[in-house]
Every structure is written in C-alpha cells, then in structure tokens.
Amino acid sequence: MLRMRTIGKIAGSGVAAGAFALVLSSRVSISAQAESWTPPHRMLLTPERALAMVLAKDRKLDYVPGEVLVRFREGVSAAGQQRAMMSLRSKPAPSSLRWVGDVAILSDPSELDATILAAQLNDQPEVASAEPNYLYRTSVTPNDPGFAQRQWNMTALDMPRVWDINPGANDSMIVAVVDSGLTAVSRSYLFQTWNGQSTQTVLVPFGFNPDFTAERIVSAKDFVFWEGPVLDMEGHGTHVASTIGEDTDNAMAEAGIAYRVKIMPVKVCVGYWEVQFLLSSTGFRGTVPEDVGGCPTSEIAEGIRYAADNGAKVINLSLGGPEPSMALREALKYAVGKGAFVSIAMGNEYEEGNPVDYPAAYAAELDGVMSVGALGPSLTRAYYSNTGPHLEISAPGGSDREGGASGLIWQSTILRADSMPGSVMSPRFDRYAEAGFEGTSMATPHVAGIAALMISQGVTNPAAVETVIKKTARFLGAPNPATPGRNQAYGYGLIQPRVALRGSGLAQ
Amino acid sequence: MASFSRGSRCVGPGSLSEAAMNVMHRALIRLVAISCLLVAHAASASAQTTIRVNVDRSTIWTLDFLSPAAIVRAGTILTVVGQRRDWYEVVVPGLDGLKGQTGFISKSLVGDGTAPASSPRRVGPPPAARTPAVRSQRLGFAGFGQFGYTRFAAQNSFQAITGQGGGAVVGGGAEVRIGGLFVGGSIDRYTQTGQRVLVIDREVIGLGVPDTISLVPMTALAGWRFEHPYATPYVGGGIGTVLFKEESVAADPGENIQTRFMSYHAVAGVEFRNGWVATAFEVEYSRIPDAIGVGGASAAFQESNLGGVVGRIKILVGR
C-alpha cells in the first residue's frame, strides 16, 4: 500500500506550483495539514497528474501538462534516447520512461507546456515523433431521465428480429469498453473529499450493475486511477457497456444488443470524483471543476493494446479529441492486427465548428476500425454529430431535440443523483437506474454490439466486419456523386444488423 | 424355319437403248452399274439372319464336327450364314481364337424365337417371339424410377450455401415407345439445407443461419432409341418447368422464395434390358436461364443458370 503524499510534499514540484496558481484562481484553498489516507490499492493517478488535469481544465488545455509521448527511430539505443532527452530542461533519464508498445511516455515537471516539449524532442535526430499526451473526452451529453418512449434505438435497428437470428452472441465473445469503467466489485472504500468546510473521510459504496451478471465481466483493468478493481464514478462507461450488452429479457431495466457477451471494462478515463478524492487526500481544500479529468491518450493506447492482448474481439472507444495521436493510431493498428474490430465515436462538436476528431479520423485508413456518427429518433443526423469524409457508419445516438427525453438513448447506469458533483458531498456508486444520454458515444456501442453479434456468427476478420457493415447499410441523406453510396453526413448510412446477420441465400 | 434370299435385282446395261450409247451414257451406265453392285452387296449384307439360342450351354461345333467351337448361353444371338439339314451354320461368338469363324449349331437348340431379320417370307415364329430388332417396331410403355447426382452450373453459388456444387436427385416418370421413338415425362427432386452466407470478394463466410433450397424439375422429353440386342443407346431433348424454393430460418414470408422457371433439356443414355426390367445410365444437361443471379450469393458469383448436368441411373419396368 502506498500512503498518499500530502500537498506539502509536492509543493516543490513544478506541476504543483502551476496547480497552486490554478487552484488559487479557482477560489479554493489548500490545507497545510491534511488528514492522512491510506489507499487500499497502489494509486496510478498521482497528485501531480490530478493537479495537471485541473490545470488543463482551467487553462482549457487539451493535453496533460508536462507529458509527451515519444517514438524513437528504429535502432536508437538507450544512449541515443538519453541524448535526445538531454535537449529537455529537466534532462530525464531513459529509466524514467514508461512504455506503451514502442511509444514512451515522458513526464517533465519543469515544462508544463507539452507542445514545447514535443517540439524540442521532434528536433532531435533520434526521435521519430513526439506529441503531447492529449486528454480525450468521452463523447456524451448526459440528460436527466424522462420516461416516455424508450429504446426507440432498438426498434430502429429491428433488434427483436435480429435476436431471432442471433440471440445476443455468446459468452466466448469479449467486448472491451475502453472508457470510464464498469464497476467490477461490490464493496465500499474510504475516500477523502471536501464537504464544503473541511476534508472529510467518507465511505463510498460501489456495486455491480444488477443488470450485468457479475460473471459477464472479465479481465477488468484500470490504467488510470489505481491498481485496484475497476470503478466507474461517471456512469459513462456503464451506459456504453449497457448498450453493448446489458442483460436482456430479464424483466429488468433495458435491453442490450449483444447481451450474452463478456464485457472487459478497461478504465482509461477519470472524472470529477477520482480527481477530487485524490486531491482531497493530499490536503487540497475545495472542489475541483465539475468537468475536470479526461482520458489521456497514453492510457487509451495502453488500454487498447491490453484489450487486444487479452482476447477482446471488439473494442469500443466512445471518446476522442481534436488532436491526432500517432500513439493511438499505432495502438489501433495493433488491435486490428490482433483480430479486434474497433468502433470509435465521431465526436459531438458539429455545432462548435465540426472539427476532425481523433482517433475517429484514423478509421478511414484502417480496415477493421469504424467511425460512428449519431442519429436521432427520426433517423436523421443528430444535431451534434460530427461529419466529414472519414465518417463511415451511423447508428442511434439520441437527440433531445427530437422529443426531448424520449429522444435519448436509455440504458442502465449508475444513479446520477447519487454522485452529482456540486450537490452531493458523499457520493455512492452502488445504485443503478435507467438514464437517457445522447452523443456519438451512445451510437458507437450500437456498432460494437452488432459487430460482436457478427463475429460470434462467424465473420471473424475485422476488415470483413467493416465491409459487411458498409455493404448492408441503408443509405441516408443526399447522394454524393464523388463517393457513391456514401456521404459526409451519414457515411454509408444506417447500420442494418438484420441484413448483415441474415446474409445472403442462393437467390436473395 | 427361316429362309434366305441373297442379292438384289438391278437395272442392267441391256435395258438401255443402244442408239443412245454414247460416251457420256457409257460413263453414266458404268456409274449406275457400280451403284448397283454396291447396293447388291449391301442387300447381301443386310440379308444375314440372326437366331436366338434357347437352351443354355448349347454347343456350336466346328465345321468338321470334331470339336466344340463354343459353348453359348440361352439368349445368345447368333448370325446365321447358312444351313445344312438340321444345322445352322453360324458365326462363332466369343473372345477366343475361333471368333469370327463359323460353326454348326443344332436347329433344335434354337427352336422358336429364331427368325430371319429380313426374310421375304415369314415362315418362322409368330411376331410375339421376334428378336429385339423386330420388337422395336412395336408400341411399348415403361415406367421408371431414377436417382443420380446433379452438378449445378451455378456451382459456386450452391457451394457457398450448401457446401457442395451439386447434390442427389431422385425422381421417376414414364415413357411411351413407338419403334425407336420415345416420348416421356419425369419429375425429380433436389433438396439441401445449408446456411446463409456473406460473400466478400468471392470469399464466403457462413453465418450459421439455416437455408433450404429445393428444386423440382418436371420435364417432357422425346428422343430416339438405337435398338440393339444387349444395349440400347438413346438421345433426346425436351422442355420443362422447375419449381424453385428457398427458405430460411427467421425469415419473413416475403423473404422466402417459391417460383417457377422454364427449363430446357438434352439427354443421352444407354439402356440394358433383361426381360421386362431394364437399367439405364443417363446423362442430362439442362439449362434454366436467368433464374438466379439478381441477388444473394448467385449475384455475387454472377451465376444465373439454375440448370446443370445430371448423371443418373434409371430402373425401368415395361417394354
């Protein structure tokens, strides 16, 4: 067990110094004396990282301050790597590097601007490429539950008749959800948090989603918070996993698409509560911004490789960001090479300039990786769903502009009222309820679930899965003469699982 | 008893006007004379008679009667080249060194059932006991059952769905024979359950969704039989209709197929008869154009002909 350091111990670091400025500007204060807290598992989220995330949020940075991902040229020795790193002010040793495949994660607390770090390293002949460790975000817009017509998405995909052909895949199929997690334990942990007046140690209960049989969760792995069991403190990963395959036909909650598969929760994203707990345990007095956190590309890349190495045949990535990452691209290639199909959210920023989102943009060049746009209940493009030539397929993602709450995607996830930042001081994550979300995050697991059904039915090659999904899609929108069968608003159109799973007979 | 007539009458040079005999006519007459000789020779050949051996293990003796030339079974057909008192001189059958030579067989061993094939005077047995060559002039009827293996023209498509480019067919029918002509009809059935597939760049991926294909060809055929004592080859052709059905699990009624197509057939075979029962080995080629190829695996493989080649065995009863 690692005893958490107090804020006094990190006060000398550059990150802490930057964060101090931040937190002061955020009208919060830090106690000189914090109640000690012993985490039950070795922490992966360090105070420096947590503060860096707060700093990134405050300065609207899309990367983890002070972190870069470096790929050295082939054949460069440790001495060569050392030479390259000597260009940095802190002159870190090669032994301080953490490796994800052939990509090294370098942390330099003396230079928080990761773009400068990357530029300095890119000038070195030993370095093939260097990039900031970008913070991607989950592509979701949560909404409060509304109880009207639910799961129109399943009807739109004709899922009842799909299940006549393939009832939920089978338990030899593993789908990895690289996301904020899906709680894989039922117990309580002590964490420290800020109750508005003082730091308080609270018992936080966690529990399995009752609509996910515990046996269906396999090889859960946390790459970002701690080395303990995967805990979802946001609900995003749980919602996504529920779309892929929450228990179905059990008179509980909602239905999932591939409801017999095993889910591999791979936690690569942290949010408000993880950062708050960690910083409170270091003496941080106050609350962090509600939407702090994110998904570092280094952990996403690690998570993708882990999923592929541990038998996942489908990987869901309901996350993204506006900056490209060669580390992620390499991880995607690695996963496809291992036989995994990858489904990636297009992004939700159409009304914010419709930027190209990564890693979705890599889908167009990688067979077996698909970018997914979102549709509303009318099966037209959801208002937020990014478009572009790299969009490949569309699936229901929800839209509150079409019927309000009834236009959302309803799935089981943690009860948000139990953990609402700002209104809850002592959260709990052991109660679940149906919740309506919208986003390309919600569209992506539809494709992942359908891919799982297809693979369980024998279409084992990821590139073949992609081909079949494209060929059987229902074209939507206006034809584009330059790209027959495809346009930038819908890609190849609406995914049609029944057509894909039923296949062809002799004559039709 | 059989009687024989050899040779043939022909118009000779004496029947032409001598005044008209010029060089041209001489040449013409020579040509006619040669033709007459050829016709006479052909008539002589066609005058040869066959007889049927009625007693098993009958002996054909050498011309000097010193030793058996051959032992023959009942039913053996022998070619008669002459007769002497109670003996026919016949061509010795068989594979040994005496084959092609002649020998004597007792007329008592051939009895009824032997008759000259081209005798000008019928003094032999009644028509009912004639040889097969004579029977072919009669009206006959036969029913048959048949089974075989069909190899589809759209073999890639069938291979994709059923795992085989063909399959077993069974059926039956009947035919009427008038001399060498035969006219008949038959109905067959092919059915096979495979699985629905995805075809990507000609690579087939099975989906495990059961898919059953049924074909019921109903065919009308006419043709000609080349009668022979042992084996009767035949050829024919015809048209028909094929009932095509394709059904799969979890399909809407409109997604299953049941339709008919016109078909065209050519057939060739050989029949081996033993009394009222015969066995035939037959090959049939059929063509059912534009029946498939619009959707499904057949579209992916660009195969539109639902026909193919059938090799089959027929068991016929009747004459």
Side-chain angles (χ1 to χ4, degrees):
Chain A
M1 298 289 182
L2 174 70
R3 186 175 175 79
M4 293 299 296
R5 290 177 289 179
T6 65
I7 198 71
K9 290 183 177 175
I10 63 170
S13 74
V15 173
F20 273 138
L22 161 70
V23 293
L24 287 173
S25 70
S26 300
R27 299 181 303 279
V28 294
S29 60
I30 295 176
S31 161
Q33 291 289 322
E35 187 181 345
S36 65
W37 173 68
T38 304
H41 303 282
R42 192 171 83 83
M43 296 301 295
L44 298 171
L45 182 63
T46 61
E48 292 89 342
R49 196 107 190 264
L51 281 170
M53 285 183 170
V54 175
L55 180 63
K57 180 64 194 170
D58 189 68
R59 295 188 182 177
K60 294 185 170 51
L61 303 176
D62 56 5
Y63 55 79
V64 182
E67 287 190 16
V68 285
L69 307 183
V70 188
R71 194 154 58 90
F72 293 100
R73 293 192 190 281
E74 265 186 49
V76 171
S77 63
Q81 295 170 7
Q82 175 74 67
R83 270 197 307 278
M85 291 191 291
M86 288 298 282
S87 64
L88 304 180
R89 186 162 47 183
S90 65
K91 299 181 172 39
S95 59
S96 67
L97 298 175
R98 185 162 65 89
W99 289 87
V100 179
D102 61 350
V103 175
I105 303 167
L106 188 154
S107 184
D108 186 348
S110 66
E111 178 53 73
L112 297 183
D113 190 337
T115 59
I116 293 176
L117 289 173
Q120 287 174 328
L121 287 168
N122 276 321
D123 285 341
Q124 308 310 310
E126 297 86 358
V127 173
S129 63
E131 66 191 27
N133 191 4
Y134 291 110
L135 269 177
Y136 285 0
R137 296 186 183 279
T138 50
S139 308
V140 65
T141 305
N143 273 266
D144 292 333
F147 297 91
Q149 183 186 352
R150 290 187 172 177
Q151 295 213 287
W152 56 268
N153 48 321
M154 299 295 175
T155 307
L157 295 177
D158 204 6
M159 287 311 297
R161 293 205 303 164
V162 171
W163 291 320
D164 285 343
I165 297 170
N166 186 331
N170 56 59
D171 60 6
S172 65
M173 168 66 51
I174 298 175
V175 180
V177 180
V178 180
D179 209 291
S180 65
L182 170 66
T183 298
V185 68
S186 185
R187 60 162 292 184
S188 298
Y189 291 98
L190 285 171
F191 288 111
Q192 290 186 311
T193 186
W194 180 252
N195 67 3
Q197 294 177 328
S198 63
T199 299
Q200 181 184 8
T201 301
V202 293
L203 188 66
V204 182
F206 293 87
F208 285 104
N209 183 340
D211 210 26
F212 252 116
T213 315
E215 295 74 37
R216 293 184 53 212
I217 299 176
V218 297
S219 305
K221 179 79 173 174
D222 187 339
F223 283 95
V224 69
F225 181 58
W226 66 7
E227 291 187 344
V230 169
L231 306 173
D232 184 10
M233 299 187 218
E234 289 187 74
H236 184 271
T238 303
H239 195 281
V240 166
S242 292
T243 301
I244 291 172
E246 70 176 287
D247 289 348
T248 297
D249 203 20
N250 61 344
M252 181 185 290
E254 312 289 351
I257 289 173
Y259 54 83
R260 287 182 174 157
V261 302
K262 289 198 173 353
I263 298 289
M264 178 193 292
V266 180
K267 184 176 174 69
V268 298
C269 305
V270 289
Y272 174 85
W273 286 109
E274 289 96 333
V275 175
Q276 182 67 51
F277 288 154
L278 196 283
L279 289 182
S280 291
S281 69
T282 65
F284 180 89
R285 294 172 61 81
T287 55
V288 297
E290 287 185 9
D291 52 353
V292 70
C295 320
T297 48
S298 55
E299 272 77 5
I300 300 171
E302 269 190 296
I304 292 170
R305 287 170 180 269
Y306 169 83
D309 285 339
N310 287 275
K313 292 300 172 197
V314 178
I315 298 173
N316 188 89
L317 293 176
S318 289
L319 43 78
E323 299 296 339
S325 168
M326 56 82 191
L328 267 189
R329 187 180 178 282
E330 293 303 310
L332 291 173
K333 282 177 67 177
Y334 180 82
V336 173
K338 285 273 188 175
F341 173 86
V342 188
S343 175
I344 308 177
M346 269 295 286
N348 299 342
E349 301 84 26
Y350 182 79
E351 294 186 338
E352 289 80 51
N354 193 29
V356 174
D357 228 50
Y358 296 87
Y362 296 128
E365 59 181 283
L366 297 175
D367 290 336
V369 180
M370 294 196 82
S371 53
V372 185
L375 303 174
S378 63
L379 298 184
T380 55
R381 185 184 65 81
Y383 65 92
Y384 51 81
S385 185
N386 288 2
T387 64
H390 58 288
L391 172 58
E392 293 181 311
I393 198 72
S394 296
S399 171
D400 62 355
R401 294 187 188 173
E402 295 184 38
S406 65
L408 304 174
I409 301 297
W410 288 86
Q411 300 287 169
S412 170
T413 188
I414 54 176
L415 182 61
R416 288 188 59 78
D418 283 349
S419 60
M420 206 62 102
S423 61
V424 174
M425 293 296 115
S426 178
R428 60 186 301 175
F429 304 97
D430 61 338
R431 297 198 298 184
Y432 291 80
E434 300 91 334
F437 285 10
E438 66 181 11
T440 51
S441 272
M442 281 57 256
T444 306
H446 286 86
V447 174
I450 290 162
L453 295 179
M454 291 173 62
I455 294 170
S456 74
Q457 225 173 297
V459 191
T460 54
N461 185 322
V465 173
E466 176 171 343
T467 301
V468 173
I469 288 175
K470 286 176 177 174
K471 283 190 171 180
T472 56
R474 192 214 308 175
F475 182 78
L476 297 174
N480 183 347
T483 56
R486 182 181 188 183
N487 59 33
Q488 296 194 16
Y490 298 94
Y492 287 87
L494 171 66
I495 189 169
Q496 297 216 90
R498 186 169 184 272
V499 180
L501 292 168
R502 194 164 174 268
S504 300
L506 182 80
Q508 75 175 20
Chain B
M1 288 296 153
S3 63
F4 304 90
S5 171
R6 296 193 178 196
S8 175
R9 253 187 112 245
C10 187
V11 177
S15 60
L16 297 174
S17 166
E18 291 191 7
M21 263 193 198
N22 53 34
V23 175
M24 292 289 288
H25 285 173
R26 252 186 246 119
L28 179 62
I29 288 166
R30 280 198 195 103
L31 184 62
V32 172
I34 290 168
S35 300
C36 285
L37 286 172
L38 289 172
V39 170
H41 178 76
S44 171
S46 66
Q48 288 187 338
T49 304
T50 57
I51 56 173
R52 179 189 292 272
V53 177
N54 285 340
V55 180
D56 212 8
R57 298 188 62 76
S58 297
T59 302
I60 300 174
W61 297 91
T62 55
L63 294 177
D64 56 9
F65 285 96
L66 293 177
S67 59
I71 307 293
V72 293
R73 291 181 174 179
T76 303
I77 305 298
L78 300 172
T79 301
V80 179
V81 297
Q83 59 179 313
R84 188 189 300 174
R85 295 193 188 92
D86 296 330
W87 301 88
Y88 284 127
E89 184 181 356
V90 298
V91 176
V92 177
L95 300 175
D96 58 20
L98 294 174
K99 182 182 178 185
Q101 296 185 14
T102 59
F104 287 112
I105 187 167
S106 170
K107 290 180 178 177
S108 64
L109 299 177
V110 298
D112 292 343
T114 62
S118 57
S119 172
R121 293 186 297 119
R122 292 193 189 285
V123 295
R130 287 175 188 165
T131 62
V134 176
R135 279 203 308 272
S136 67
Q137 303 302 319
R138 299 167 45 228
L139 180 67
F141 177 84
F144 57 84
Q146 58 188 12
F147 62 94
Y149 181 87
T150 182
R151 184 78 174 169
F152 292 106
Q155 59 181 284
N156 289 323
S157 304
F158 277 89
Q159 176 82 35
I161 303 296
T162 67
Q164 300 176 58
V169 286
V170 295
E175 64 185 38
V176 174
R177 297 163 177 178
I178 307 164
L181 178 71
F182 71 90
V183 177
S186 67
I187 181 169
D188 287 288
R189 179 173 173 80
Y190 160 88
T191 185
Q192 186 82 33
T193 296
Q195 62 177 325
R196 297 181 72 84
V197 299
L198 294 167
V199 183
I200 302 170
D201 298 331
R202 298 182 74 85
E203 181 191 349
V204 177
I205 301 170
L207 293 175
V209 179
D211 190 82
T212 300
I213 300 167
S214 300
L215 288 169
V216 180
M218 289 169 277
T219 311
L221 285 172
W224 190 262
R225 295 161 53 83
F226 303 94
E227 293 284 2
H228 187 275
Y230 284 129
T232 301
Y234 59 91
V235 294
I239 60 172
T241 182
V242 176
L243 173 62
F244 172 63
K245 287 173 70 175
E246 184 173 19
E247 298 172 323
S248 64
V249 170
D252 290 340
E255 292 173 330
N256 289 327
I257 299 172
Q258 180 168 339
T259 187
R260 289 176 188 277
F261 299 105
M262 190 83 172
S263 61
Y264 306 92
H265 305 258
V267 64
V270 59
E271 178 185 304
F272 299 91
R273 176 159 293 278
N274 187 6
W276 282 84
V277 179
T279 303
F281 299 91
E282 182 177 286
V283 176
E284 177 188 337
Y285 168 78
S286 65
R287 180 167 168 76
I288 310 171
D290 301 325
I292 53 177
V294 175
S298 57
F301 289 110
Q302 298 181 317
E303 293 174 325
S304 60
N305 178 10
L306 197 50
V309 177
V310 183
R312 62 164 65 98
I313 297 173
K314 298 169 75 168
I315 307 298
L316 302 98
V317 177
R319 287 181 182 270

